[in-house]
Amino acid sequence: MAGLNITLLAGGVGGAKAAEGLAFGHYSQAAKVIGNVADDDEFHGLWVSPDIDTLIYSLGDQIDRQQGWGRKGESHQTLKELAALGQDTWMTLGDLDLATHIYRTQLRKQGVSMSEIAQRLATRHGVNLPILLPTDDTLQTRVKTPSGWLSFQEFFVREHCQPDVIEVAYQGADHATPNAAALAQLLASDVIVIAPSNPVVSIGAILSIPDIRQAVIDSDAYVVAISPLIGGKTVKGPADKMLLSEGKSVDSKGIYDSYQGFLDGMVIDLQDAQEADWLLAQGVDVLVTPTLMKERDDKVNLLDQVVAFALDKQAKRAA
């Protein structure tokens, strides 16, 4: 294990599950995760980082397992009072969760970097897997619908992913300064695992920072993506709509097209085994295995398999 360097690109619930699989698996001491910050937004004057918090709460065993997001044992007295005062409360922020957002907002106003804030929160929750941000600058996903542009949270939470998706944009990406630690991690990686996250608004947002995408391309790492689709359907979230908005199919081909240019291997579920031949014909290695992650053992088994698969394929190519 000495000298081995593994990077996970992660967003959303699928990314948090994959991060758990690494953190509690065979390769935990060699791994770091780069999370999605483009879902960040302001609510009630507080800066909220949903994907980073989901990573931290999951790795710290503070997540509401039934929902897949938010704190376990949560209450919502503050939100109820805000509603009584006539405030919009469609973004569900629990009382424990609000403490995180208050803390983040205070430090942000003091000029503390978002990376440092994430690290302090991770320490508070006993997280050992290092969490890196792709940038400390403000980067926000925008979704164009028939009625106009929405923030990602407006589309995802307020509108329940119902509107048709015309276009997705990453506001601030072109001018975002990549974090040096994230760049160094990518360039030093032996394996880069792309979590079963939404390829457009989770992984796509991370890769929308030009230097981050280029670091993945320039890296000597074996890049392997876990498909977020099972039986041609999304496990959770609007990945199907997002793929279609980019003219991509909702199958393994659509996932491959999302990462074309730097992808070495793909992991697909047993239900999608018939798609393996097409992927192999593109020159991509394929691992067919159960990919649904319900319990921690499922997460650990899958990520251990994925990393071992990548290392084996990489060694064979180098031989």
Side-chain angles (χ1 to χ4, degrees):
M1 199 73 68
L4 185 60
N5 203 341
I6 300 162
T7 303
L8 176 72
L9 302 184
V13 174
K17 288 182 176 182
E20 279 192 83
L22 273 181
F24 298 98
H26 183 67
Y27 300 98
S28 60
Q29 297 304 307
K32 294 182 181 179
V33 56
I34 297 176
N36 171 37
V37 298
D39 289 4
D40 289 16
D41 216 330
E42 188 174 68
F43 297 93
H44 312 297
L46 302 175
W47 195 253
V48 180
S49 297
D51 272 16
I52 301 304
D53 290 344
T54 297
L55 270 175
I56 291 170
Y57 295 159
S58 296
L59 293 168
D61 198 25
Q62 291 298 309
I63 199 80
D64 183 323
R65 297 287 176 186
Q66 193 167 14
Q67 292 184 143
W69 51 270
R71 295 280 295 273
K72 63 183 180 182
E74 188 61 279
S75 57
H76 298 89
Q77 293 304 306
T78 302
L79 211 64
K80 289 177 182 176
E81 186 63 17
L82 284 168
L85 292 167
Q87 299 299 299
D88 283 334
T89 55
W90 52 263
M91 185 66 173
T92 303
L93 304 173
D95 298 324
L96 291 170
D97 198 29
L98 279 166
T100 295
H101 310 320
I102 291 168
Y103 179 73
R104 175 185 290 111
T105 304
Q106 286 179 332
L107 292 184
R108 196 166 178 255
K109 287 180 178 178
Q110 293 168 14
V112 179
S113 74
M114 293 295 285
S115 291
E116 174 61 24
I117 295 168
Q119 181 54 53
R120 293 188 193 184
L121 287 167
T123 300
R124 153 70 183 94
H125 291 286
V127 175
N128 294 317
L129 182 69
I131 298 172
L132 306 177
L133 307 190
T135 182
D136 285 323
D137 295 337
T138 300
L139 171 66
Q140 292 180 299
T141 297
R142 293 286 183 262
V143 181
K144 188 176 184 180
T145 70
S147 59
W149 286 94
L150 301 174
S151 72
F152 180 72
Q153 297 304 331
E154 288 171 333
F155 171 80
F156 186 68
V157 180
R158 192 186 71 190
E159 303 300 327
H160 306 289
C161 306
Q162 292 301 310
D164 291 334
V165 177
I166 298 171
E167 184 184 347
V168 174
Y170 312 103
Q171 186 174 302
D174 289 344
H175 306 291
T177 301
N179 272 330
L183 286 180
Q185 174 64 22
L186 288 167
L187 291 170
S189 294
D190 297 295
V191 175
I192 296 173
V193 179
I194 300 176
S197 305
N198 188 315
V200 181
V201 295
S202 290
I203 306 303
I206 296 170
L207 297 175
S208 71
I209 303 167
D211 288 346
I212 294 291
R213 174 179 283 272
Q214 194 60 47
V216 174
I217 294 169
D218 291 344
S219 171
D220 291 330
Y222 186 97
V223 182
V224 56
I226 305 171
S227 174
L229 305 175
I230 296 179
K233 296 179 181 179
T234 56
V235 176
K236 191 178 182 70
D240 49 358
K241 284 190 173 187
M242 301 297 183
L243 285 166
L244 291 171
S245 76
E246 294 197 337
K248 298 182 175 73
S249 54
V250 186
D251 55 15
S252 297
K253 183 181 185 299
I255 305 303
Y256 167 83
D257 288 341
S258 298
Y259 304 134
Q260 190 174 3
F262 54 77
L263 194 64
D264 297 303
M266 262 190 69
V267 182
I268 62 175
D269 192 78
L270 290 171
Q271 294 185 41
D272 301 303
Q274 73 280 0
E275 298 172 356
D277 286 345
W278 185 90
L279 292 167
L280 289 167
Q282 313 312 307
V284 175
D285 300 320
V286 182
L287 171 63
V288 181
T289 189
T291 59
L292 186 62
M293 295 180 283
K294 290 185 176 180
E295 306 300 329
R296 179 167 287 175
D297 282 351
D298 301 330
K299 302 166 191 174
V300 170
N301 290 338
L302 177 59
L303 270 294
D304 278 356
Q305 271 193 80
V306 170
V307 175
F309 166 81
L311 290 172
D312 177 65
K313 293 297 184 183
Q314 187 184 50
K316 287 178 179 176
R317 288 186 178 187

